[in-house]
Amino acid sequence: MGKFTIDPDVIRDLAALLDETNLTEIEWEEDDQRVRVSRGGGGGTHVVAVPSPAAAVAAGPVSDPAPAADDPAGHPGAVKSPMVGTAYLSPEPSAPSFVSVGDRVSLGQTLLIVEAMKTMNPIAAPRAGTVTQILIDDSTPVEFGEPLMIVE
Amino acid sequence: MSKIVADFFIRHALDQTRSTNDIARELAEMGAPEGMLVTARRQTAGRGRRGNAWESTEGNVFLSLVLRPQGSAQVAAQVSFVMANAVRELVAHRIPGVPIQLKWPNDVLCDGKKISGILLEAGAPSDGGIAWLIAGLGINVSTKPASRTDATALHYEGDTRSDADTVIADFCERFLSWYEKWQLDGFEAVRTAWLAHAHGLARPIQIRLPHEIIDAIFDGVDETGALLARLADGSLRKVTGGEVYFGSPG
């Protein structure tokens, strides 16, 4: 089993996200490490940190860990919404989309817009890479922390 | 103009440009400080949200302000209400006697007719916060779009003395006052003042989202700025987008 170091900031962020989204469980995987934060029956949150993926079975009181590929929120390439709002895939209705699946994008390139209270928020690529999934439809409501696209 | 106001704003006055928001955005990306104010006498490609055109005839106000508010993108969206309060005050001061009301989140209505338009565009969030926020504003001073019966201008409402420059100066004073109040005291004072002039509270409302229409009672605005829609089954739904229409005029 490899050495596992806990990053308290990651856990704090995940716990905050859990509260914001009312989810019961969030899993974050990076390199060979995986952290899962879930809400216990008592209402509080607890953290399970396990080296991934072999030891996941022994991780404790969580059930049915889904493979990362089926869980966009836990995907390390997920680009998530910073706010509750409406997502737009193009700058205006008649214009082509900012990006399509398969496009190479550079760091900071606009991927989509999330609008809230008539404020337009461009969502930038957090890294250079390829857009492998677009997880939302144009002009649809999105929640805080909701995965919007996968950039790998 | 008071010294505090004069110190906050740096005005970049243009005769003609495509869109003051575009210029302000370029300046923001080059590092322009908060308070950079771009104005133009005419815009050749003035726009509202989602590519809607904004008619930009000389004599009206076209301005864009660079802001750098602290906090998350969600919180920065409250500047919509800060802007609306400032413009409502300005308009009410100039045409006393005309009922001035607000339509969620930032339309200013004179006796039900639209007199201004606001377009807010944030810089791409990096860490959940925002790099900058451009607050674009058009106010109809001397002319209104001829084709629109639901629009008006200050001159049409009885104020024939105001010109674009005096309205810009007045806006700067009122905006800064509301912006500082928001930054120091938070959203509550902004929200309370906004609600005091909200059009159609507790009345039927229709919210048209891109793929959905919600019929509800307008129940107010929550502590984040979301519209509260009371549905037929009594439940409350929070709405952050869409266009608002009122059940019956007036």
Side-chain angles (χ1 to χ4, degrees):
Chain A
M1 189 180 285
K3 187 175 181 313
F4 188 86
T5 49
I6 288 178
D7 181 346
D9 286 338
V10 168
I11 291 167
R12 262 194 288 274
D13 286 351
L14 291 175
L17 209 55
L18 210 58
D19 286 333
E20 292 266 11
T21 53
N22 271 329
L23 292 173
T24 52
E25 185 177 303
I26 293 178
E27 191 174 287
W28 171 262
E29 187 175 29
E30 197 168 31
D31 299 325
D32 62 340
Q33 298 182 346
R34 181 158 62 173
V35 175
R36 183 184 304 128
V37 181
S38 66
R39 206 185 296 275
T45 55
H46 65 269
V47 176
V48 179
V50 292
S52 158
V57 189
V62 287
S63 56
D64 303 318
D70 294 343
D71 175 20
H75 196 291
V79 179
K80 297 176 185 176
S81 180
M83 63 205 305
V84 179
T86 306
Y88 297 104
L89 296 176
S90 65
E92 52 191 74
S94 58
S97 296
F98 289 105
V99 294
S100 305
V101 170
D103 282 1
R104 296 275 312 161
V105 294
S106 52
L107 171 70
Q109 183 176 337
T110 299
L111 303 173
L112 74 162
I113 287 174
V114 176
E115 177 187 27
M117 324 307 170
K118 301 276 165 89
T119 305
M120 301 296 171
N121 292 272
I123 307 301
R127 65 191 73 82
T130 302
V131 178
T132 58
Q133 287 185 64
I134 295 176
L135 302 162
I136 44 125
D137 291 324
D138 185 43
S139 308
T140 50
V142 293
E143 295 297 321
F144 178 87
E146 182 173 337
L148 305 168
M149 292 189 185
I150 306 285
V151 177
E152 296 182 269
Chain B
M1 192 179 278
S2 73
K3 183 174 185 308
I4 292 168
V5 173
D7 285 350
F8 181 83
F9 293 97
I10 308 160
R11 184 165 168 188
H12 183 53
L14 300 166
D15 200 42
Q16 178 171 306
T17 186
R18 280 177 51 76
S19 152
T20 54
N21 259 42
D22 291 349
I23 304 294
R25 179 207 300 247
E26 284 168 23
L27 292 171
E29 281 176 352
M30 289 190 291
E34 174 160 276
M36 173 64 77
L37 175 70
V38 179
T39 65
R41 291 188 188 283
R42 291 177 299 278
Q43 294 184 116
T44 55
R47 58 192 167 83
R49 54 182 289 285
R50 305 297 297 148
N52 292 336
W54 183 261
E55 197 172 297
S56 302
T57 316
E58 185 161 352
N60 291 343
V61 166
F62 314 106
L63 67 81
S64 296
L65 181 57
V66 176
L67 299 171
R68 295 185 182 276
Q70 299 296 306
S72 68
Q74 196 92 63
V75 169
Q78 293 167 358
V79 171
S80 248
F81 299 86
V82 172
M83 290 285 285
N85 282 355
V87 176
R88 191 207 62 79
E89 271 189 4
L90 178 160
V91 171
H93 173 71
R94 280 162 195 282
I95 45 175
V98 179
I100 312 298
Q101 293 189 299
L102 297 167
K103 189 178 87 158
W104 185 90
N106 60 23
D107 277 340
V108 178
L109 305 176
C110 300
D111 208 8
K113 295 177 178 173
K114 187 172 158 98
I115 197 166
S116 63
I118 292 167
L119 175 63
L120 292 155
E121 297 180 286
S126 45
D127 52 358
I130 60 165
W132 39 262
L133 182 69
I134 306 299
L137 171 67
I139 302 178
N140 295 339
V141 178
S142 60
T143 65
K144 68 183 186 74
S147 60
R148 299 290 296 263
T149 54
D150 58 348
T152 191
L154 288 174
H155 287 199
Y156 286 78
E157 298 295 331
D159 169 26
T160 52
R161 297 177 59 188
S162 292
D163 61 25
D165 272 336
T166 55
V167 171
I168 289 168
D170 194 6
F171 167 76
C172 288
E173 298 265 359
R174 295 178 195 275
F175 172 81
L176 188 57
S177 165
W178 276 109
Y179 187 62
E180 291 189 333
K181 192 176 291 187
W182 174 65
Q183 292 199 311
L184 291 172
D185 303 337
F187 185 52
E188 192 51 33
V190 173
R191 185 180 81 107
T192 304
W194 190 96
L195 282 171
H197 299 280
H199 184 57
L201 264 182
R203 297 181 59 176
I205 196 174
Q206 185 171 78
I207 305 145
R208 298 185 194 159
L209 297 162
H211 299 298
E212 187 185 6
I213 291 176
I214 303 169
D215 286 298
I217 299 294
F218 180 25
D219 212 58
V221 168
D222 79 358
E223 68 286 350
T224 69
L227 183 154
L228 295 171
R230 170 111 22 221
L231 305 179
D233 67 0
S235 64
L236 263 188
R237 178 159 166 190
K238 295 183 178 189
V239 180
T240 61
E243 287 295 328
V244 171
Y245 296 85
F246 294 98
S248 54

